[in-house]
């Protein structure tokens, strides 16, 4: 069991490297849960919350220091499409933070543990693979109005950090950075990328520069990308922002949105992790298709 009030994550990053968890969806699927619904893992917030706690616990027991909540695809709009009203949706968003906290309380470890509230991109709500494209046809102001209400709810649940993750487009990053202002909770910003560009095609130098002067942002980096794209992104993020770098790539397989399945072969290995650390990464973990065994290997390596 760990303390409910660990050292602030920003201070921990100044002292060394922190291990993130792995993919929520693959851990839930390995436990036998069907995630074919458009709400993805967020559906279990309402139907089987204990399953989410168990998934977080598996990663804590594997050696992770940070649990990323199951709110990636949880939005007021998405819940409304399933007949879940605004009040109940807000309760479920807050519950996602509490479930991760409960897992931390159950974890048999004296390591400091933190909770990161996941804030997925607008495209995650569409459930059609748009988070790997960006360019939704919405203005920065419209995207800010979409993100701010659930950010307020998640911040009110008092996570240690807000994970602005899998952001495919610099315009959406700008909207998210506006939306987190004044919430009183630090954040990290991580893009999903293709080589040295965002999925929407913007140069990473420009994309990371948006966060350079954002006091709320304690780390910048990449997630939900190929492992081979990580090294270059670390160098760019560190040089452009001067902030700690967060990286948690996929296994290396690719998501086929039409077939709703992963294709290709895994290229994620724990041998890569020490190189990422040496290059400058300070929060390191895995995203889709990276499970507790891989996180245990990362924890041992670091």
């Amino acid at each position: 069991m760990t303390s409910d009030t660990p050292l602030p994550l920003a201070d921990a990053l100044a002292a060394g490297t922190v291990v993130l968890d792995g993919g929520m969806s693959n851990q839930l699927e390995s436990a036998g849960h069907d995630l074919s619904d458009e709400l993805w893992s967020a559906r279990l917030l309402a139907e089987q919350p204990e399953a989410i706690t168990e998934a977080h616990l598996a990663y804590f027991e594997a050696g992770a220091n940070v649990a990323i909540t199951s709110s990636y695809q949880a939005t007021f709009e998405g819940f409304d499409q399933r007949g879940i009203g605004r009040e109940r949706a807000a309760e479920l968003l807050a519950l996602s933070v509490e479930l991760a906290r409960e897992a931390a309380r159950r974890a048999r470890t004296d390591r400091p543990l933190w909770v990161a509230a996941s804030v997925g991109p607008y495209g995650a709500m569409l459930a059609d693979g748009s988070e790997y494209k960006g360019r939704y046809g919405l203005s920065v102001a419209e995207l800010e109005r979409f993100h701010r209400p659930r950010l307020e709810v998640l911040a009110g649940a008092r996570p240690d950090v807000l994970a602005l993750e899998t952001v495919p487009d610099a315009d959406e990053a700008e909207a998210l950075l506006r939306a987190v202002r004044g919430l009183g909770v630090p954040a990290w910003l991580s893009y999903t990328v293709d080589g040295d560009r965002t999925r929407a095609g913007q140069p990473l130098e420009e994309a990371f520069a948006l966060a350079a002067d954002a006091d709320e942002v304690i780390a910048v980096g990449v997630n939900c990308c190929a492992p081979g794209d990580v090294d270059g992104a670390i160098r760019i993020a560190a040089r452009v922002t001067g902030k700690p770098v967060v990286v948690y790539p996929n296994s290396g397989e690719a998501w086929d949105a039409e077939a709703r399945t992963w294709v290709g072969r895994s290229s994620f290995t724990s041998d890569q992790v020490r190189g990422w650390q040496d290059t400058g990464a300070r929060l390191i973990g895995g995203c889709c298709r990276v499970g507790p065994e891989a996180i245990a290997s990362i924890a041992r390596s670091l």
Side-chain angles (χ1 to χ4, degrees):
M1 181 181 296
T2 188
S3 167
D4 286 336
T5 55
L7 183 75
L9 184 56
D11 293 342
L13 296 180
T17 306
V18 173
V19 179
L20 303 179
D21 63 6
M24 170 62 69
S25 61
N26 48 265
Q27 181 59 18
L28 290 170
E29 287 175 332
S30 70
H33 300 287
D34 179 11
L35 302 183
S36 59
D37 188 277
E38 289 189 352
L39 284 177
W40 206 29
S41 58
R43 176 177 59 82
L44 298 185
L45 284 169
E47 297 179 5
Q48 292 178 281
E50 176 62 20
I52 294 173
T53 301
E54 292 292 337
H56 288 312
L57 184 58
Y59 284 116
F60 280 143
E61 298 285 7
N65 300 106
V66 180
I68 302 174
T69 65
S70 57
S71 50
Y72 173 82
Q73 209 146 345
T75 64
F76 288 110
E77 292 80 0
F79 281 131
D80 182 65
Q81 292 171 12
R82 294 293 301 276
I84 298 174
R86 201 166 185 84
E87 182 176 351
R88 178 57 176 158
E91 292 174 354
L92 294 174
L93 282 163
L95 177 62
S96 71
V97 176
E98 177 52 33
L99 295 176
R101 289 274 184 231
E102 174 60 22
R105 286 190 287 269
R106 294 188 199 176
R108 296 167 295 181
T109 179
D110 292 326
R111 301 189 321 275
L113 304 179
W114 294 273
V115 171
S118 173
V119 181
Y122 178 83
M125 182 270 295
L126 300 178
D128 63 359
S130 292
E131 66 262 51
Y132 298 116
K133 304 171 189 172
R135 308 281 83 185
Y136 313 117
L138 300 178
S139 68
V140 171
E142 289 171 322
L143 289 168
E144 181 183 0
R145 286 195 294 272
F146 168 79
H147 284 296
R148 178 72 186 198
R150 69 171 171 153
L151 277 164
E152 290 175 344
V153 172
L154 288 169
R158 309 311 299 172
D160 298 294
V161 63
L162 295 163
L164 314 178
E165 60 177 355
T166 323
V167 180
D169 193 323
D171 286 352
E172 185 160 28
E174 182 179 352
L176 284 161
L177 292 171
R178 290 184 187 180
V180 297
R181 290 174 187 161
L183 294 179
V185 178
W188 78 57
L189 173 68
S190 59
Y191 289 95
T192 177
V193 301
D194 185 5
D196 62 356
R197 292 179 175 267
T198 67
R199 296 282 186 166
Q202 300 110 338
L204 285 184
E205 288 89 347
E206 297 175 10
F208 286 132
L210 294 172
D213 297 322
D215 293 338
E216 296 86 357
V217 177
I218 62 171
V220 297
V222 294
N223 78 290
C224 212
C225 61
D229 288 334
V230 170
D231 276 311
I234 295 172
R235 293 185 175 89
I236 296 170
R239 172 170 52 81
V240 170
T241 70
K243 296 178 184 287
V245 178
V246 53
V247 296
Y248 49 119
N250 293 337
S251 66
E253 296 157 277
W255 175 248
D256 184 331
E258 184 174 339
R260 296 186 64 82
T261 189
W262 291 92
V263 297
R265 300 176 63 181
S266 173
S267 59
F268 185 106
T269 69
S270 60
D271 294 339
Q272 299 163 308
V273 170
R274 184 57 67 87
W276 297 340
Q277 183 185 39
D278 291 344
T279 304
R282 290 296 172 263
L283 292 105
I284 301 176
C287 200
C288 300
R289 311 282 283 182
V290 178
E293 184 177 343
I295 297 304
S297 182
I298 289 173
R300 288 191 300 268
S301 179
L302 298 179

